[in-house]
Amino acid sequence: MNAPRPELIIEAGRAEQQYWRDLWHFRELFYILAWRDIVVRYKQTVIGVAWAVIRPFLTIVVFTLVFNRVAKLEAPGDIPYALFVSAAIIPWQFFASAFSEASSSLLSNSGLISKVYFPRLIIPAGSVITSLVDFALTLAMLAVLMLWYGFAPDWRILFLPLFILQAFAAALGAGLFLCALNVKYRDFRYVVPFIVQFGLYVSPVGFGSERVPQYLRWFYDLNPLVGVIEGFRWACLKGASPLEARTLVSSLTVTIVLCAFGIWYFRKTEKTFADVI
Amino acid sequence: MSDAIITVENLGKCYRLQHQQRERYTTLRDLITNRVKSLFGTQNSEPGTQNSEEDFWALKDVSFEIKQGEVVGIIGRNGAGKSTLLKILSRITEPTKGRITLRGRVASLLEVGTGFHPELTGRENIFLNGAILGMTRAEIRSKFDEIVAFAEVEKFLDTPVKRYSSGMYVRLAFAVAAHLEPEILVVDEVLAVGDAEFQKKCLGRMEAVASQGRTVLFVSHNMATVRALCSRAILMKGGSVGCEGNVQNLTDMYGAVEIEDTETENIPAGAHRPGNTGQAVFQTIRICNITGAKTSQLYLGQPFRLTLTLEATSDIREAVIEVGLVASDGTHVTCSRTLDGGAEPFPLPRGRHEVTLEINAFLLPRRYSFALILYHFDGHIIDWVDQVQSLTVANIAEDSSDTYRFWPSIRGYVRPEGVWHLPFPQKGARVK
């Protein structure tokens, strides 16, 4: 009876102070929601998880046919074009799916939000993590492709996790911002597919960054995905595709700013989600 | 120091109402239009339309204390602030003012089966829902068998819940919730689901929780349940605490409050009408308890009065009215006719008339509805309405002396006047 009982105080602005502690406290929920998303995604599909690999694989095939065979684009050095494209498509698809899943995550979990308390950050962060699982599978596919072409990466591959982290941060930041906006302004659910489609053209997926005219370069480098994709190529393809320092710095800066801004905006609007959704 | 486990002080919650919009969320278009309008100043600012935003206090100055082990019912009409209070207690939304101190682990149950995913199996959903309600995986694992037994879904554990019947779904969902073991349990009207038998089981479970010294906050419209479960009640009225205290007095008062807004007594145009010649129609039906108050709920054993109005468009020479009582499972329990006891048919002149029927049947706890038939003595139906008005008979007598707890499905519908002769003394036998 005298054992100290946990005391919880609810008042305006209080959740703010306990936020990060709560986030830790609710970690089990975080795992289980991520697990749910993964399990549900491939339920009642005939080939199940294979979809995670088939989609990027077909994209790679199409890109190779269109850009390499038809448009006669070449990869720098003696890298097979298919590998050159894969090293870009794989991080790009991770970003695209993580970002769009995260942006719609709050709305598709509106039932939870209006009925149970937990730090809302769990939901979009969980969907980014879920996309990471598909991403791991596509990385395995990349390894198989490399084997097929008899291409062995060198020490640079050790830096790959850093670029994965950058892709993760970019997807999380953008996803948090858009999902928070999506709760209040439903317009943004039309904006997201547009951003994803548009992003594919302004990121170096089918081409290498060196083809971008110099006078546009500073602007082009602001795209966080430029750093991610060029980084991937550099790490996976023995540096055959050069990674320029200014690209890395500017896209990394944008990523950090984007991620911080996403978290800040999300936290700012989070309190009202249950009232608005 | 007080031994209060929940202390609520001057709690207030303010919502901003935007009058022009119907949806709660805005679209960018609205935002832009509003900004542009305000940029271009004042074309739109006649005194009435200017403030399209208004503060609405869903809760104001709510203060109360709840001690450990108390089971408190929160009652009140729709819009009295009950749900807002629950949402704040369960931290879904923040209060605008005031504070709540909770001394213990809180679990809240605002809905049964929150987060259930139709594609997942029963087993998976138990873990998912448990985690959502705040249980750790170890806790769920240790209670897993109990939950499954309670829900009676052993055979379907590995079937996706989308293939469950709605009854099974609700049972499973409630079973998870029922095995939460927090110090404070906050429950919304989630018991209003499932079949009657399962409801009983849930109530039993709630009583068990309460008897273990846990604190339960229970929000409900169902007076009988509140009375059966709670020791104290808080009556919410217009966003603040109207009254608090003894559950008996308050539920009586709530009954009085409730009368003002019980559902309409008009028979809806869309009512099921197996037959109508147009010569006359039943228009309204009203149920009153013995004190003459309009109601849709009766305590066990209460007689009631049914008032019908009917409008005849032509004179009917030999009319008969029959009222059938139909249980919610579709069984026609009994009926009462104007011919009962050998009475003659009556002449029904043109115009609007009110007829009253006093019924003194000892109905067992269930939901009932009525079938109203007006016909010629020769058997020719003039108007026949099915399934109108609903009447709930509680499982407890008004003075709590008489209750029904188990097996409602095998007990039938009415209680005969039986007299038991026992060869041993019986305490508390009723004098009738």
Side-chain angles (χ1 to χ4, degrees):
Chain A
M1 196 61 218
N2 286 328
R5 273 180 287 171
E7 185 162 305
L8 177 73
I9 293 173
I10 301 173
E11 62 187 347
R14 174 69 67 146
E16 202 78 3
Q17 300 160 27
Q18 302 163 330
Y19 197 78
W20 300 105
R21 214 179 62 202
D22 273 355
L23 204 58
W24 173 245
H25 184 76
F26 280 90
R27 64 192 181 282
E28 284 230 1
L29 183 62
F30 183 83
Y31 304 144
I32 212 145
L33 286 179
W35 164 82
R36 175 196 71 176
D37 289 346
I38 294 167
V39 173
V40 165
R41 170 123 30 129
Y42 297 112
K43 279 238 170 169
Q44 245 191 24
T45 54
V46 182
I47 48 174
V49 185
W51 279 115
V53 178
I54 289 176
R55 274 181 305 163
F57 181 74
L58 290 179
T59 323
I60 290 164
V61 170
V62 169
F63 264 73
T64 311
L65 285 179
V66 172
F67 287 103
N68 186 230
R69 296 292 143 80
V70 179
K72 302 290 178 208
L73 277 177
E74 285 297 331
D78 53 354
I79 308 163
Y81 189 80
L83 278 187
F84 178 75
V85 164
S86 323
I89 281 181
I90 287 168
W92 167 257
Q93 287 216 330
F94 162 64
F95 172 82
S97 72
F99 167 64
S100 32
E101 296 275 329
S103 318
S104 61
S105 61
L106 283 179
L107 287 188
S108 45
N109 285 289
S110 58
L112 276 189
I113 289 171
S114 55
K115 296 292 179 197
V116 198
Y117 169 77
F118 54 87
R120 309 314 189 190
L121 201 59
I122 286 180
I123 286 185
S127 36
V128 176
I129 300 258
T130 313
S131 310
L132 212 49
V133 174
D134 282 359
F135 173 66
L137 290 171
T138 56
L139 269 189
M141 181 188 74
L142 179 64
V144 172
L145 268 178
M146 284 176 156
L147 233 79
W148 171 265
Y149 283 102
F151 187 95
D154 58 5
W155 56 272
R156 294 186 178 90
I157 194 90
L158 296 176
F159 287 90
L160 194 65
L162 289 181
F163 298 109
I164 297 178
L165 196 68
Q166 191 190 347
F168 186 91
L172 185 68
L176 283 178
F177 180 55
L178 274 151
C179 75
L181 280 174
N182 224 340
V183 170
K184 187 132 208 251
Y185 307 108
R186 302 290 155 104
D187 306 65
F188 283 93
R189 81 188 127 176
Y190 308 113
V191 174
V192 170
F194 178 70
I195 294 179
V196 170
Q197 204 178 25
F198 189 68
L200 183 63
Y201 298 116
V202 298
S203 303
V205 176
F207 56 92
S209 293
E210 69 283 349
R211 289 177 181 269
V212 177
Q214 281 303 317
Y215 68 96
L216 273 177
R217 203 49 203 268
W218 65 272
F219 182 66
Y220 168 80
D221 281 347
L222 290 179
N223 175 358
L225 265 295
V226 170
V228 171
I229 291 172
E230 288 302 336
F232 253 74
R233 280 191 179 139
W234 176 81
C236 294
L237 308 176
K238 299 203 228 177
S241 174
L243 176 63
E244 285 181 39
R246 60 168 187 178
T247 304
L248 190 62
V249 169
S250 89
S251 85
L252 209 55
T253 315
V254 173
T255 306
I256 292 169
V257 170
L258 182 65
C259 189
F261 175 75
I263 294 176
W264 171 81
Y265 185 78
F266 187 88
R267 296 270 288 103
K268 192 172 86 105
T269 47
E270 181 180 25
K271 282 176 290 196
T272 59
F273 286 170
D275 300 332
V276 176
I277 206 160
Chain B
M1 197 181 127
S2 73
D3 54 347
I5 191 163
I6 304 176
T7 315
V8 176
E9 296 158 272
N10 306 318
L11 199 69
K13 172 78 186 177
C14 176
Y15 284 105
R16 180 143 296 170
L17 293 186
Q18 286 165 335
H19 286 309
Q20 293 167 332
Q21 277 141 223
R22 296 183 63 215
E23 279 115 327
R24 272 190 289 180
Y25 53 86
T26 40
T27 67
L28 204 57
R29 188 196 60 205
D30 296 333
L31 189 78
I32 295 169
T33 2
N34 286 345
R35 286 279 153 84
V36 171
K37 266 187 199 158
S38 62
L39 248 178
F40 289 102
T42 53
Q43 318 107 307
N44 210 2
S45 64
E46 298 133 43
T49 56
Q50 192 179 18
N51 43 354
S52 66
E53 282 192 351
E54 185 187 301
D55 286 349
F56 167 72
W57 288 87
L59 283 181
K60 44 184 188 265
D61 276 333
V62 174
S63 304
F64 57 85
E65 277 197 348
I66 289 167
K67 294 191 181 63
Q68 170 154 28
E70 269 191 308
V71 181
V72 179
I74 295 179
I75 52 185
R77 282 157 67 168
N78 287 338
K82 294 173 307 202
S83 311
T84 310
L85 180 61
L86 273 194
K87 279 195 170 173
I88 294 175
L89 274 168
S90 39
R91 304 176 66 196
I92 293 163
T93 178
E94 278 201 326
T96 318
K97 268 188 7 185
R99 69 146 76 189
I100 300 176
T101 314
L102 298 162
R103 297 179 186 85
R105 209 174 86 151
V106 189
S108 51
L109 218 55
L110 300 199
E111 181 187 61
V112 190
T114 309
F116 259 44
H117 200 289
E119 295 283 353
L120 296 178
T121 66
R123 182 191 307 277
E124 290 165 335
N125 266 311
I126 291 177
F127 281 92
L128 175 64
N129 190 233
I132 287 171
L133 294 175
M135 285 196 251
T136 63
R137 238 175 305 176
E139 260 181 283
I140 302 170
R141 214 167 285 138
S142 72
K143 289 196 188 127
F144 189 82
D145 294 335
E146 250 181 278
I147 293 176
V148 174
F150 189 86
E152 303 160 19
V153 292
E154 291 89 341
K155 274 187 259 167
F156 307 99
L157 262 186
D158 294 306
T159 311
V161 297
K162 66 178 175 186
R163 300 203 215 295
Y164 277 31
S165 71
S166 59
M168 278 157 67
Y169 184 93
V170 166
R171 283 206 303 272
L172 182 66
F174 191 86
V176 181
H179 289 79
L180 278 172
E181 283 185 353
E183 278 98 18
I184 304 170
L185 183 63
V186 179
V187 193
D188 200 358
E189 287 178 293
V190 288
L191 292 175
V193 290
D195 54 40
E197 190 165 356
F198 190 70
Q199 280 190 24
K200 292 285 137 58
K201 203 164 159 182
C202 299
L203 286 183
R205 180 76 202 179
M206 300 250 310
E207 276 171 39
V209 168
S211 66
Q212 286 161 9
R214 288 179 224 280
T215 309
V216 182
L217 258 180
F218 181 61
V219 171
S220 183
H221 275 111
N222 189 331
M223 284 309 101
T225 322
V226 171
R227 274 196 188 191
L229 273 178
C230 304
S231 49
R232 204 154 70 89
I234 294 172
L235 176 74
M236 302 283 300
K237 215 172 176 183
S240 33
V241 175
C243 223
E244 66 179 298
N246 179 289
V247 73
Q248 183 85 25
N249 302 343
L250 275 177
T251 49
D252 285 346
M253 191 156 157
Y254 177 78
V257 174
E258 184 73 335
I259 288 164
E260 299 162 25
D261 64 351
T262 34
E263 59 274 49
T264 166
E265 40 187 83
N266 292 328
I267 293 170
H272 186 228
R273 272 199 153 88
N276 176 256
T277 59
Q279 283 172 285
V281 280
F282 288 106
Q283 285 184 320
T284 67
I285 172 169
R286 184 170 69 229
I287 309 167
C288 294
N289 62 20
I290 23 175
T291 61
K294 185 180 150 191
T295 183
S296 61
Q297 275 191 10
L298 291 175
Y299 287 105
L300 196 60
Q302 272 187 332
F304 63 97
R305 204 161 64 208
L306 211 58
T307 306
L308 314 171
T309 53
L310 39 81
E311 173 123 32
T313 47
S314 58
D315 295 331
I316 296 160
R317 266 191 308 124
E318 296 189 303
V320 180
I321 301 176
E322 183 165 331
V323 172
L325 188 71
V326 187
S328 53
D329 60 4
T331 307
H332 288 257
V333 178
T334 183
C335 76
S336 179
R337 305 167 305 161
T338 50
L339 296 177
D340 287 351
E344 292 291 311
F346 60 90
L348 183 69
R350 204 150 87 134
R352 195 182 153 97
H353 312 281
E354 192 175 88
V355 296
T356 301
L357 165 66
E358 277 168 26
I359 297 184
N360 195 0
F362 199 109
L363 295 172
L364 293 186
R366 266 175 196 282
R367 268 174 80 100
Y368 298 92
S369 67
F370 298 94
L372 313 176
I373 311 167
L374 173 70
Y375 58 97
H376 285 289
F377 188 52
D378 62 11
H380 191 78
I381 290 169
I382 301 165
D383 189 23
W384 178 5
V385 220
D386 236 355
Q387 293 164 17
V388 287
Q389 201 55 280
S390 87
L391 172 70
T392 309
V393 176
N395 64 345
I396 187 165
E398 194 174 11
D399 57 2
S400 312
S401 61
D402 199 352
T403 57
Y404 276 85
R405 292 192 171 222
F406 318 107
W407 329 308
S409 62
I410 59 164
R411 281 191 156 144
Y413 309 93
V414 289
R415 175 153 109 187
E417 268 188 51
V419 182
W420 288 84
H421 300 282
L422 302 177
F424 24 76
Q426 193 184 13
K427 266 203 286 184
R430 243 146 263 126
V431 188
K432 182 142 188 187

